[in-house]
Each structure stands twice: as structure tokens, then as C-alpha cells.
Amino acid sequence: MPCTPWTVRAPEPAVASRDSGRSGRRRAAPTRWWRRGTPTAAATGTGTAGPTGTGTGSTLGLPETQTGRTARRPATQGTGSRHRGTRRRPAPPPAPLRLVQRWAPAARRLRPRYPRPGRTGWRRWVPSWRQSLGAALVSAGFSGALLTAAYAATDIPADLNTFATQQDNVYFWSDGTPMARTGWVRRQAMPLKDIPEDVRWAVLAAENASFYSDPGISLGGLTRALWRTVGEGDTQGGSTITQQYVKNVYLSQDRSVGRKLTEAMIALKLDSRTSKDTILEGYLNTSWFGRGTYGIQRAAQAYYGKDVGELNVSEAAFLASLLKGAGLYDPALGEANQARAEERWSWILDRMVGIGRLTKTERAKYRTFPQPLDQSQAYDTGRQSDYLVELAAQYAKKAARIPEKDFDRGGYQIYTTFDRKRVTALTEAVTKAREKAIENSPGKARAAHYGAASVAADGRILAVHGGPDHREQGFNESNATTVPAGSAFLPLVYAAGLEHGVSEERGAPRTRVTPQSVYDGDDGIPVTTPEGPYWDRSGKKVVARNDGGKSWGNITLRTALARSVNTPFMQLGMDTGLDRVRETAEAIGLLPASMGPQVPALSLGTSTPSAIRMASSYATFAAGGTHTEPYSVRRITRNGSRVVLEAPERRRAVRPEVARQVTEALTDSFRGAHPTAAPASAQVAGKAGTTEDDTAAWYVGTNRSVSTAVVVYRMDLTKSLEPLPLKGIAGASAADVPYRIWSSAMRPLG
């Protein structure tokens, strides 16, 4: 069947547009297309063009624009169809565009026309009330969106400022009075329950009376603060207590708009997630009050010398005034400060009446300004206190198992066992002896050292003398293990023999020893074993020596101890067994590390115990043979909460009978050397101690239930740690100076 070519209708003549009168233009009639018959030559490569003519070219005989449009039209009807070709309809616009098209007319009507038409002169530039309202609403919406985004993006920091959490550690004497403090920051946190309500409301009245009802920020105050920041470079004013707390513990103190906005966002979140009481407690414990103090507790101590729980409302009102600027309100800084402080104090009390937290009757009681102390009682460590603090800190960390890092962060209240009166007496006695030595022998005295300690029968360290000045000499002479105990060690050998008995023959059962057991007291007698004489490594017999080479003949052990005869105890140690001597000495109080070599000379005091340990050992005899490890801290709290403290170890060292027998021999020793020093009824026992090479002089003894040990030795720390000969520095009898110090520290003897 032959194909009918495409037929194209010629363009219709243009007709006049309806609005030709307005535009002067003519609208062309649309070109109409339809399909007749079979596809045209445009589809096959041949065809005719024009309304009457035919052709064989590849184009229709039409104008170029129509030819192009015609060539793109697909066939829509079969051959011989009498219907017109279907016109393609445009796709509908997307929904957002339809919405814009729908509201576009209304938007055009709302669009502000500016400069304003119908106005002349300057009035053209004055916005209408609609324009002003619209601008305000847009600004408010934009600002609200920004604040909402900032609130959502701001988190409460996980970590507080290190400075905000650091506190000082405060040490107390045994009577509970402050002794010293350590740390860079003077701050002691207190639970809110321990801060009186009047004190809290004095602060709230001064700083933020609406604290319990506000959202954590003050919009008016924040606006003023931002205005001052932008206009004057200052951020004063506008902060609630919540904002101030956030600044103290989370942020830096820089003054900028960004920091102020961050502060507000964190304050809002903190207020929504944390109780008001918790925020107030944190604020009271981290705020600056002047005089180097942070927190209301340290401020109460610095300005009034009392704890915060002892403040009255008048004193609290003054402390609250310091929050506005301690440099402006501390009366100690000048007369102008005094006047400002009194005015601010009075206003705060009146303000408390105004908010219903103080009655007029109560207000009338406070007409006189509560003048604070002239100077802060900082309780800084002193020369001798440094040694006490060092001992207590070491013990506290060990007994309470406090990590070094946590201890350095502070906040601990450490109640020591140190007796202020005994420390003073001991320090004065040592100072007097030191000054006299310098006066008599300045050259020798420069290398002289005086260690001393007093320990109670229950283990409490009551006093120590660590040295002349901790800033000049860091090590503690009372706790140093540098010189041998000498003959002060003999009571421990005596106790070992009484406790364990002796064995003079190999394999034979042990024989009981009593104070009346007799030993050879001659000088130079050889030391024997069950097998015969004891030979040293050089092949020489070991012999025992007495002070001054004096021989005493046969002598009882009690008398030998009272008169400090060495030779019986050197043999007693061999008969008892040097291992048992060592075991007994450690049980009584000496540290294993200070024990000397296990050779016959051990019994003559080659061990090097500290003054604290020697005093503790003699205290064991006063305690009936029960030893309690010496300790310097009796209680620890942190911010008011008790810290678990391990109790000092107690153990049975020797039988009570043995302890009594040793004490009796020591009483004889004291009475024999100093017959008029104490009344007959006094419970005083003691013994001097010297060394063979004259490098140390001791005096150790008890008065009632307190034991004190004093050691004097010479050592040039600039050259070596080897002890030097005393050369008379300890007195004419080589024990005079230690005894004088001991007796002065132990008075009254009785």
C-alpha cells in the first residue's frame, strides 16, 4: 500500500491581538499540525514540500523555522485518519513551585516599598509601623533561632577547672587547733548542710535573691553585661549565682562576648539538670573572698578565726560583701574600704529584711559592724612544723591509701597526734643545747645533729625535733637511720634472753634466764659458742669490751644493764641466739632495714634505728610488752566526710613479766645515774647509750607512759654520710647533752 506523504499546512495569516491597541504588537496565529496518511519523506529521506508542490530534497519546502519544528513531530495517526494530530501538554510544575505561584501575589502585596511612595522629602525614608514591626519580628526570630542552636550545641564540660577543684590540706594539733596548711590554694570545701542557713541567705541577698526561682540567667542583666562588653570592653554585672559558678569552675576569666554567651548557655543547662542546692554549695566553695582564700570556710577562718558553722548573720553579711570585690571591701586594706564595707554590710542586712529572711527585730540586734581580724590566720608551716607536716603527710597517704595525685589536690583535714606543748618543750631544749655547742665549739658544732622524738605507750608520736630548719636541712633527724644505737640497744638483748632463754650446748634444751642470772663482766673476755670460742673471718677470737676497759667480775644481768656493762650482754646474745635477738628487736619496734649484721657485735648496738623507733621500743616496755606501731595521724576527713584510716598494728612483743623486769632494770639505771632527778614515787626509767667509736650519744627513757629518745651525732653533710667522732660535743660524760635534752622535754619527772 503506497504511503501518503506528510502534508504541512501553510501558516495562517496573522490576526490582530485583542490588546494590540495597548501594545502595538500583533500576535501570530499558532501553527497547527496534524498527520495525514503515511509518514513523510522526512522520516524516509524523500518527500514533498509545500501546499501544492513536491520535491525530492531532504527538507520540506517551508521556512527554516517551521521545517525544524515539523521534523521533530512524530506521527500520531494512521493513514487516512480524519483526526488532527495530538498536541503535547507541558508537565505540571512541582509542588513547591505551585505553592510559590499560589502565594506570590500575597507576597508582592506584603513586600515593603522603600523608600515609601507617596511621601516626599525625609518622610520617604521613615519606615512605617508595619515595616518596623516586621523588622523587629524578623530580628527576634533570627536571634531565637541562633540562641536555640547555641543552646543545643553547648554541653556542660565534663571536667572542672583544675584550679577550681584544688584545695589546701590543713593539719591540726592533737588538741584540735590548726597547726599548718599546705597547697597553693587556700580552699576547704564544706557540705551545704554544714553552712548555716543565715549564711546562705546573706550571700543570696547580696548576689541573687531570686536564685531559687530564676532559670539560671538574668536576661536583663545579661543584656546589660553584653552592652558593657561591646561598648566599654567590660563584663561587670548581669551574672546570677549560677552564671558566676559556671565561670568559676568551667570557664576562663577572660572578658569577651563569646565567653559571656557560653556562660549563659551552660548556666541554662546546668540549672535544668542540677539542683539549686548543689549549685549554691559549689558556688560557696569556689568563690574568691580575698586574703588568698577561696570558699566560705576558709574565708570564715581568715577573717574571723572560726569555722563557717560558727558565724552569725552579721559576720556572714560582711563576708557576702566581699563577693563584690574583696579588694574594695576588706577593711584591712584602708579607710576607704572600711567605709565601703560598713555600707555594704548594712545594705545586705536590710536586703535580708526586704526578702523576708530576717525580721526587723533580728535586724535591730546588729547595729555594730563586725570588725574582722586585721590579718589572715593562714596557719602557714613554720620551721619545726615542716618536719611534723612531712611525717603526718607520709603516714596519712599510707594509712588511708590516698594516691599522691589525689592528696595533692587537697581538701583533707589531717588531725595529728602531735602535742603542741611537748613539741615546744623539745624544740626549746634542743635549741638551747645547739646554741651552747656553737658557743663552746663553733667548729665542731657546725656538723652537730640532734634527733629527738617522744612516743606514747599506745603508739602516738607526741613530738619530734627534725632539725634546725626544714628550709635549710630537708631530712628529718628524728627519723634518720644514720648512727648506731650503741649501748642503748642492751635492753632489747636483755628482753630477748628473758623471753626465749638460753642454750649453752648444742641440742640441749633451753634454760630459763632471770634478772639474777650471773655472767662474767670482765673486759676482754672471749665470746663463746657451744663449740668453743667465736672466730671472726680474719681468724681472730672475738672478745667483748666494756666502756673504759673496766672489769666488773661476775655480775647479774639486772645489775649489768643498770650499770651498762657490755660483756655479759654480748655473751647473752650468743647464748640466746642472734636470730632470736634480731626477732625480738623487730617485734619490740625496730625496723628490719635498720638491723645490723647478725654477728656477735649485734648485741652491742650496731643497728641504726631512728630516734622515733628507739622511743617506740622503750614504749613497748612501758606498755607491758605490747607494741603498737608508731603513728602520727589519728583522724582524717575530706570536706567534712571521714576518710577510712587503717588502725596501727598492735602485737604482743614480749610477755608482761619480761617487760616489767626490763623496766625495773632501766629504773635502776636512771636512779643510779641521777638519784635526785625525780621523786621516789616517780615512774621514770631510762638509759644512756654510747658507741665504741664515739660517733653517737643517746639517752632513751620513759616517764609514766611516754618514751623519749634523744641522739646527738656529728656528720658533715657536704662531704659524706659517715658519722664523725663527737669530740666532747655531747658533754663531758659523753651522754650529758642527750640527757639534759631528754629531762627538759620530759618534765615534770614524776
Side-chain angles (χ1 to χ4, degrees):
M1 181 176 184
C3 296
T4 303
W6 286 90
T7 303
V8 181
R9 184 178 178 179
E12 295 180 0
V15 296
S17 172
R18 294 179 181 178
D19 57 354
S20 61
R22 288 175 293 178
S23 63
R25 295 181 180 181
R26 299 177 63 84
R27 178 179 298 175
T31 301
R32 301 181 182 277
W33 303 88
W34 64 87
R35 187 180 63 184
R36 175 182 297 173
T38 60
T40 65
T44 62
T46 60
T48 60
T52 57
T54 62
T56 61
S58 60
T59 59
L60 300 174
L62 293 175
E64 184 177 345
T65 55
Q66 293 186 8
T67 303
R69 293 179 61 184
T70 303
R72 293 188 182 94
R73 293 291 180 177
T76 57
Q77 290 281 7
T79 304
S81 172
R82 303 181 66 89
H83 295 83
R84 294 179 178 180
T86 303
R87 184 180 181 183
R88 175 178 291 181
R89 297 180 181 179
L97 183 59
R98 291 200 305 272
L99 185 64
V100 171
Q101 292 173 345
R102 180 178 180 181
W103 291 102
R108 282 194 294 270
R109 287 195 298 272
L110 293 176
R111 182 180 62 187
R113 289 180 294 173
Y114 193 81
R116 298 173 64 188
R119 301 288 190 275
T120 60
W122 60 269
R123 292 181 179 85
R124 298 179 62 218
W125 304 98
V126 177
S128 67
W129 69 270
R130 291 186 180 88
Q131 291 172 336
S132 300
L133 178 61
L137 292 176
V138 170
S139 298
F142 185 70
S143 299
L146 286 179
L147 291 175
T148 301
Y151 179 84
T154 302
D155 291 325
I156 299 175
D159 298 325
L160 301 181
N161 292 335
T162 302
F163 190 77
T165 58
Q166 187 176 359
Q167 304 177 57
D168 55 5
N169 293 324
V170 181
Y171 297 79
F172 298 87
W173 294 102
S174 58
D175 61 2
T177 57
M179 178 184 73
R181 70 167 185 86
T182 60
W184 294 105
V185 179
R186 298 180 188 175
R187 178 188 291 122
Q188 284 285 308
M190 292 293 288
L192 191 65
K193 63 181 178 61
D194 293 336
I195 301 175
E197 192 170 353
D198 283 345
V199 177
R200 302 181 221 168
W201 278 104
V203 172
L204 293 176
E207 294 293 308
N208 189 186
S210 62
F211 170 73
Y212 279 100
S213 59
D214 64 39
I217 64 170
S218 168
L219 294 179
L222 182 61
T223 302
R224 290 193 302 272
L226 291 175
W227 173 258
R228 290 180 65 89
T229 302
V230 175
E232 304 178 22
D234 189 8
T235 56
Q236 293 180 357
S239 293
T240 63
I241 278 180
T242 306
Q243 289 175 262
Q244 293 179 51
Y245 174 64
V246 167
K247 181 180 66 174
N248 289 344
V249 303
Y250 293 119
L251 304 176
S252 65
Q253 302 297 315
D254 69 299
R255 302 187 174 199
S256 65
V257 175
R259 201 273 297 157
K260 200 71 181 176
L261 290 175
T262 303
E263 171 191 299
M265 295 300 103
I266 296 177
L268 283 171
K269 279 198 172 181
L270 188 68
D271 189 84
S272 65
R273 299 179 183 181
T274 309
S275 71
K276 290 286 189 178
D277 282 349
T278 301
I279 295 174
L280 180 60
E281 178 182 303
Y283 173 74
L284 292 175
N285 284 318
T286 57
S287 296
W288 166 257
F289 285 88
R291 296 192 180 184
T293 62
Y294 289 82
I296 193 74
Q297 167 69 2
R298 293 292 287 137
Q301 294 173 343
Y303 288 92
Y304 290 107
K306 59 177 70 173
D307 290 334
V308 65
E310 301 172 355
L311 294 174
N312 60 39
V313 67
S314 178
E315 295 165 337
F318 165 70
L319 293 182
S321 71
L322 297 170
L323 293 168
K324 197 169 182 65
L328 296 174
Y329 294 94
D330 185 352
L333 301 180
E335 294 182 359
N337 278 25
Q338 178 77 35
R340 280 191 291 265
E342 291 184 9
E343 180 182 359
R344 179 78 173 166
W345 162 80
S346 180
W347 177 86
I348 291 174
L349 290 176
D350 292 340
R351 176 71 169 155
M352 292 184 70
V353 174
I355 64 176
R357 292 295 167 176
L358 195 66
T359 66
K360 293 183 178 180
T361 303
E362 292 171 332
R363 172 66 179 89
K365 298 177 183 178
Y366 305 108
R367 296 298 179 188
T368 303
F369 180 69
Q371 193 68 29
L373 301 172
D374 290 338
Q375 294 181 347
S376 171
Q377 295 184 359
Y379 310 119
D380 288 320
T381 57
R383 292 182 176 181
Q384 201 55 222
S385 296
D386 286 332
Y387 297 107
L388 306 179
V389 166
E390 184 180 55
L391 276 177
Q394 291 174 354
Y395 184 84
K397 287 182 283 189
K398 179 180 179 181
R401 297 184 179 180
I402 302 172
E404 192 83 25
K405 178 180 66 176
D406 293 346
F407 194 81
D408 288 344
R409 289 176 62 186
Y412 292 94
Q413 299 82 45
I414 301 162
Y415 297 85
T416 72
T417 60
F418 302 126
D419 186 307
R420 185 203 296 263
K421 293 181 179 179
R422 289 185 179 275
V423 170
T424 301
L426 188 58
T427 301
E428 290 177 352
V430 173
T431 302
K432 185 182 296 184
R434 192 189 304 274
E435 291 175 349
K436 188 173 182 179
I438 293 174
E439 180 182 350
N440 296 335
S441 304
K444 299 175 184 177
R446 279 197 295 268
H449 299 275
Y450 302 79
S454 294
V455 179
D458 59 4
R460 290 175 294 127
I461 301 176
L462 302 178
V464 299
H465 179 83
D469 190 337
H470 191 274
R471 298 170 181 86
E472 297 176 3
Q473 176 183 290
F475 80 92
N476 190 333
E477 291 174 345
S478 70
N479 202 32
T481 56
T482 53
V483 293
S487 54
F489 188 81
L490 299 184
L492 281 65
V493 182
Y494 184 40
L498 295 174
E499 178 73 16
H500 298 287
V502 297
S503 177
E504 298 178 353
E505 297 179 7
R506 185 72 62 188
R510 286 190 167 270
T511 305
R512 182 185 177 191
V513 173
T514 70
Q516 302 307 316
S517 297
V518 177
Y519 272 75
D520 190 345
D522 287 343
D523 180 65
I525 62 172
V527 177
T528 62
T529 68
E531 288 80 18
Y534 185 92
W535 301 81
D536 63 18
R537 292 187 177 182
S538 64
K540 295 181 180 180
K541 291 183 180 180
V542 176
V543 298
R545 298 289 182 181
N546 291 325
D547 289 344
K550 184 178 180 180
S551 294
W552 296 81
N554 290 337
I555 189 172
T556 64
L557 290 177
R558 176 171 176 171
T559 303
L561 181 59
R563 297 183 181 182
S564 195
V565 182
N566 292 336
T567 54
F569 292 100
M570 196 167 184
Q571 186 59 53
L572 177 63
M574 296 299 295
D575 294 343
T576 303
L578 295 178
D579 56 339
R580 286 180 170 82
V581 172
R582 182 188 183 99
E583 176 187 331
T584 303
E586 294 177 4
I588 287 175
L590 267 58
L591 294 176
S594 68
M595 297 300 298
Q598 197 163 301
V599 296
L602 174 68
S603 299
L604 296 186
T606 57
S607 299
T608 57
S610 65
I612 292 176
R613 286 292 168 171
M614 282 301 291
S616 177
S617 297
Y618 278 50
T620 300
F621 301 133
T626 298
H627 174 73
T628 303
E629 280 291 289
Y631 64 98
S632 56
V633 177
R634 57 187 176 86
R635 183 164 63 94
I636 300 177
T637 61
R638 189 171 196 276
N639 299 334
S641 300
R642 189 140 189 168
V643 177
V644 177
L645 192 66
E646 290 183 358
E649 181 186 357
R650 297 187 65 197
R651 59 177 178 266
R652 169 62 61 185
V654 293
R655 300 191 310 273
E657 179 185 5
V658 172
R660 177 182 58 79
Q661 291 169 341
V662 174
T663 301
E664 289 174 350
L666 291 173
T667 301
D668 294 343
S669 177
F670 173 79
R671 296 292 182 184
H674 312 283
T676 62
S681 59
Q683 301 176 19
V684 183
K687 185 185 185 308
T690 57
T691 60
E692 184 178 0
D693 51 7
D694 189 38
T695 56
W698 292 80
Y699 197 89
V700 189
T702 59
N703 182 16
R704 298 189 180 90
S705 60
V706 176
S707 172
T708 296
V710 179
V711 61
V712 179
Y713 60 97
R714 291 181 65 240
M715 183 180 293
D716 189 347
L717 298 175
T718 62
K719 296 180 179 179
S720 70
L721 296 179
E722 288 296 323
L724 301 173
L726 288 170
K727 294 184 178 180
I729 202 75
S733 66
D736 289 347
V737 172
Y739 172 76
R740 286 199 297 268
I741 295 173
W742 179 89
S743 61
S744 297
M746 297 289 277
R747 291 191 183 279
L749 296 175

